[in-house]
Amino acid sequence: MMKMDCEKLCPEWPCEPPEEYKDVWVVVEAEEGKLSEASLQMLTPGRAIADKLKENLVGVLLGYGVSQLAEEVIKYGADRVIVVDDERLSTYYPRVYGSAVVELAKKYKPSVILVAGTRRGREFAPYVANSLKAGITADCTDFDVDETTRDVLLIRPPFAAILLAYIKTPFRRPQIGTARPNVFPVPKRDEGRRGEVVLERVEIGQESRMKLISRRKVEKARAGVEKASVIVSGGRGIGGPEGMEMLRRLAELLGGTVGASRKAVDAGWADHEMQVGQTGKSVKPILYLAVGISGSAQHMLGVREAQRIVAINIDPEASIFSQADYSVVGDYREVVPALIEELEKIRKGGVKALREILES
Amino acid sequence: MRIVVGVKWVPNTQAVRIDPETGTLIRKGVPSIVNPHDLPAVEAALRLRERVGGEVIVVSMAPPPAVKGLELVLGMGADRAVLVTDRVFAGADTWATSYVLSRAIQKISAEIGRVDLVLFGHETIDSSTSHVQAQVASWLDWPYVYYVSSIEPLGDNAVRVERELEEYEEEYVVELPAVVSIAIKAMKPRPVSLQSKLRAKLERRIITWTNADLKLDPRCVGLKGSPTVVAKTVDMPEVPRKKEVYRPRDPKDAARWIIRKMVEDEKLREVMKGIVGDEL
Ligand SMILES: Cc1cc2nc3c(=O)[nH]c(=O)nc-3n(C[C@H](O)[C@H](O)[C@H](O)COP(=O)(O)OP(=O)(O)OC[C@H]3O[C@@H](n4cnc5c(N)ncnc54)[C@H](O)[C@@H]3O)c2cc1C
Ligand SMILES: Nc1ncnc2c1ncn2[C@@H]1O[C@H](COP(=O)(O)O)[C@@H](O)[C@H]1O
């Protein structure tokens, strides 16, 4: 940490020595009596930062009827959980939820606050940051600690995604960051792990200027790309919506779902929810099959966690070939139907059919 | 209803190329455009004005060439535009941007007339943070809501909005004044009318404010006023991959090569097992 010269800083910022701030917080969202997987994932980088700083990892759990979930947060790696179980938090409003976090942060002075980049997280986190007059870094892909200054480095790709920027907030605490779901794994659950649960109260009133009128769960007809173990993704090279249908058939045969590049989404062939990449979803399938996708840095950022990438592209110079495990040079209009045909045989004939194909 | 729409002037990131020699970005000569995700917010504002009357004011913190973008938005039908521009605002992160924008909105309220609603786009194509909306709401101490796909007036003092989360569709009534962030592609922006664009130009409906007008502490704006600092940049580490490239004789050959990999590669074998069963 640099020496503070309050005269040089914006007077909007409270000039407080950063040494007063301790511990790494992860705001843990709960919905319908369950912890959100995306927030559990944030305990992974949270634990790593806390260990580097030799500070505690603290889960912050807000809601109504959430107390019984506190022990779970500890089993996933927290040392302590601060719980606010309050009827006024039974309906989520960004300002109510955000203000509750702000109040707790003013009392406890954490040095770091991590928030999962779910839709809600992305909505309330910048409110928390601004209300604390602190900086915030969105969509981090990694974190580190500067050993000399003890500043946390919030690492994220700027728009080109070929670089990683190391961002810090040397004069402000807490240091706040979000990460998209699936960028980090859920930590291992340790049944025997013990920790402290602190019940807290907050002053915040009910949101009186905004009211939830209705809420309904939308049954997503097709499994989302986030959870799929096989994804067949189409890019601009598929040339139209019919191409997407062909990929859907292939995905079905492989027991997976379909994804898309941004160009395929922009062309209207695929839903935004299916977009993979920096401004879409981060995915972690066993098999990612990229069809008619060139391999832009922004797209590939979303598939870093894929175990295997297979590409089909007509252009022998396509940059995806140097970023995939197995690539076939060819026109997908020929290769994909052939693949569908063989897989149909295998679906029908099982191992025997598979052997025949391999031996021929 | 007086509606302010925040619009950013951004480099056309689709036109940014990577230098194959050095692997660095070529920004030179990259044209700037109005952030495409802000246009649905402009459209939403114009539709609200058509229903309840009032005025649509576009505001942008940007260098002077952004006037071109503001002319386009005036051509869509916005009533006026405020360009907030000053060298001291350069290099701002989202905190410092939201500070200047919210002070500009307060100045509009004080000098032009009470602002009832501030609309923003979902995110900018050059930084994609979706921070500015919540930060402005925090400065103004107004209610706010993200991911809004439709917005309807409800008398003079409220709007009804629909929005989508990962697994829920929700409907809210939000009292004014408020900040609302419009979802990507929520509304198709109307085309620019050359006539209205020209008229706006003739009537000089773009106001420019510098820090001489806003009188903000220079320690709170631009690079100096940004709590976040880029400490360094490094190349994105490469993920190790097998990089086997196959040129098949024919499509069937291609299909079989892929299937063979799905048996030989221990990881992919799991997927094949899912199809033929565990006896594989
Ligand atoms: C800030 C920012 C964020 C972005 N975020 C994302 C993101 O989240 N996700 C994303 O995907 N992109 C993103 N992009 C866009 C990205 O830069 C690329 O433009 C995009 O990924 C390209 O999509 P594509 O590969 O489908 O299209 P193209 O680059 O046009 O590639 C099409 C490919 O199809 C091949 N092809 C053509 N015909 C056939 C055929 N018959 N058979 C087989 N192959 C064929 C071609 O050889 C070519 O390689 C972002 C860009 C920016 C600036
Ligand atoms: N400099 C700016 N001037 C006006 N509006 C802005 C500016 N920067 C961001 N915005 C608005 O805030 C939204 C979110 O921006 P961002 O946080 O950069 O993703 C954008 O879609 C714009 O509506």
Side-chain angles (χ1 to χ4, degrees), chain A residues 236 261-262 275-276 278-279 292 294 296 298-299 313 331-332:
Chain A
R236 206 167 74 113
S261 77
R262 182 155 113 180
Q275 183 181 314
V276 171
Q278 187 183 3
T279 47
S294 62
S296 71
Q298 293 89 352
H299 185 80
N313 198 304
D331 187 337
Y332 93 93

Side-chain angles (χ1 to χ4, degrees), chain A residues 10 32 119 220 326 360, chain B residues 147 166 168 219-220 256 265:
Chain A
C10 169
E32 293 177 354
R119 290 222 162 181
K220 292 263 150 76
Y326 307 112
S360 66
Chain B
Y147 320 114
E166 286 88 346
Y168 295 93
R219 290 172 297 180
C220 300
R256 293 189 167 181
D265 186 304

